[in-house]
């Protein structure tokens, strides 16, 4: 099995590591980088619990090799409350009870973050479509949608207030 | 002293009078502050902060020194006799610690069948034959999940 040296940025920090060609990005993040917030929920690229942002776009990290992330900017759930305050998405999930067991939550939040960056003012239907790659067994999704709506509003008014 | 026959109000009129005095849901004031008793008040969950920051400690997040990893070899056949299991190639690989078969479990004290919650028993690993597609045949234990 061939080994490769990769350099990438994770949550703003540049790291250089040697990985086997077969190492999945999700295992690299969870084990080599010890960032266990990103979860593995299936074997079939179905559940989205492993969703991270790669160059700003939501990607299921279980279906990408670590070597494919060479030179990329990766953002995981651990980056959102950097600086001590919760991101509006995290606030929304807490306020609106968008989680129960919490296992799908990091992937759900990262998907939502990538989605809101492209759709800052979404309709409910657009939100539901935007997170359709993320499965949740606990909540029934309604509270998740409310959480994302809360965050969208908060982000919009923060933008407006900042201008 | 008024006689019963003098009272002319209809029963329903009396009842209406009473119900008009009972407060509806909209009017009920919850007098007990949230700090004393949470009932009737919104409450944010205590466990959410760690989950929304990726700081939960789920089983797969646990890392212990000397941890080993298991992967299962599954049957490609729906119904087949097990003639033999040859683990020699796997055991030669660096990092493979053990290969556990049904025979191993049997030798370890009849552990190849386990009791279920329905008071019957269930096959753990097979001895003679596999009975469903992708049935577990043996378990490989190694020092990394990729080696396993």
């Amino acid at each position: 099995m061939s080994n490769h040296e990769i350099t990438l940025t994770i949550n703003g920090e540049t790291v250089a590591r040697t990985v086997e060609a077969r190492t999945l990005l999700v295992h690299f993040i969870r084990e080599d980088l010890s960032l266990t917030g990103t979860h593995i929920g299936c074997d079939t690229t179905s559940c989205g619990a492993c969703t991270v942002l790669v160059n700003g776009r939501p990607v299921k990290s279980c279906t990408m090799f670590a070597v494919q992330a060479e030179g990329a900017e990766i953002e995981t759930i651990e980056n959102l409350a950097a600086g001590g305050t919760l991101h509006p998405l995290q606030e929304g999930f807490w306020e609106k009870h968008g989680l129960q067991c919490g296992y799908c939550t990091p992937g759900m939040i990262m998907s939502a973050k990538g989605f809101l960056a492209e759709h800052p003012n979404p309709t409910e239907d657009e939100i539901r479509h935007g997170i359709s790659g993320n499965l949740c067994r606990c909540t029934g999704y309604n509270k998740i949608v409310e959480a994302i709506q809360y965050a969208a509003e908060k982000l919009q008014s923060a933008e407006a207030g900042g201008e | 002293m008024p006689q019963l026959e003098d009272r002319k109000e209809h029963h329903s009129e009396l009842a209406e009078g009473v119900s008009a005095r009972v407060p509806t849901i909209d009017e009920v004031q919850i007098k007990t502050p949230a700090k004393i008793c949470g009932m009737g008040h919104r409450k944010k969950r205590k466990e959410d902060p760690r989950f929304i920051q990726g700081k939960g400690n789920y089983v797969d997040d646990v890392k212990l020194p000397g941890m080993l990893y298991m992967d299962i070899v599954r049957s490609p056949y729906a119904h087949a006799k097990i003639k033999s299991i040859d683990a020699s190639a796997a055991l030669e690989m660096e990092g493979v610690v053990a290969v556990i078969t049904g025979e191993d479990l049997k030798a370890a004290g009849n552990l190849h069948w386990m009791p279920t919650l329905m008071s019957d028993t269930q096959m753990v690993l097979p001895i003679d034959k596999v009975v469903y597609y992708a049935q577990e045949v043996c378990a490989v234990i190694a020092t990394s999940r990729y080696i396993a």
Side-chain angles (χ1 to χ4, degrees), chain B residues 79-145:
Chain B
H79 207 94
K81 258 195 274 216
I82 299 179
K83 292 196 196 147
S84 68
I85 298 179
D86 179 7
S88 52
L91 287 167
E92 268 167 28
M93 279 183 67
E94 193 190 329
V96 173
V97 170
V99 174
I100 301 178
T101 65
E103 292 287 353
D104 295 325
L105 291 180
K106 188 171 171 186
N110 272 350
L111 297 176
H112 58 304
W113 283 81
M114 68 178 185
T116 73
L117 294 173
M118 305 291 284
S119 302
D120 61 4
T121 53
Q122 181 179 338
M123 228 193 286
V124 180
L125 288 178
I127 306 277
D128 317 316
K129 62 179 181 179
V130 292
V131 293
Y132 57 91
Y133 173 75
Q135 180 177 359
E136 303 81 359
V137 176
C138 62
V140 177
I141 318 285
T143 51
S144 92
R145 64 175 81 233

Side-chain angles (χ1 to χ4, degrees), chain A residues 24 27 31 90 95 100, chain B residues 42 45 52 58 145-146:
Chain A
L24 298 174
H27 288 139
E31 294 177 21
Q90 292 171 309
E95 288 287 335
Q100 289 180 31
Chain B
R42 287 198 73 238
R45 298 196 328 164
I52 55 183
Y58 298 92
R145 64 175 81 233
Y146 281 83

Side-chain angles (χ1 to χ4, degrees), chain B residues 13-29:
Chain B
E13 284 165 12
L14 285 171
E16 261 173 38
V18 169
S19 67
R21 290 196 297 277
V22 173
T24 62
I25 287 291
D26 297 331
E27 298 154 11
V28 169
Q29 300 286 332

Side-chain angles (χ1 to χ4, degrees), chain A residues 44-67:
Chain A
T44 50
T45 318
S46 314
C47 76
C50 64
T51 307
V52 296
L53 296 182
V54 178
N55 297 330
R57 307 190 64 203
V59 168
K60 289 177 174 171
S61 58
C62 68
T63 310
M64 190 169 151
F65 289 111
V67 291

Side-chain angles (χ1 to χ4, degrees), chain A residues 18-36:
Chain A
T18 308
V19 295
E20 289 181 332
R22 62 183 168 177
T23 302
L24 298 174
L25 181 60
V26 70
H27 288 139
F28 177 70
I29 291 173
R30 285 177 53 78
E31 294 177 21
D32 291 52
L33 303 179
S34 294
L35 294 167
T36 56

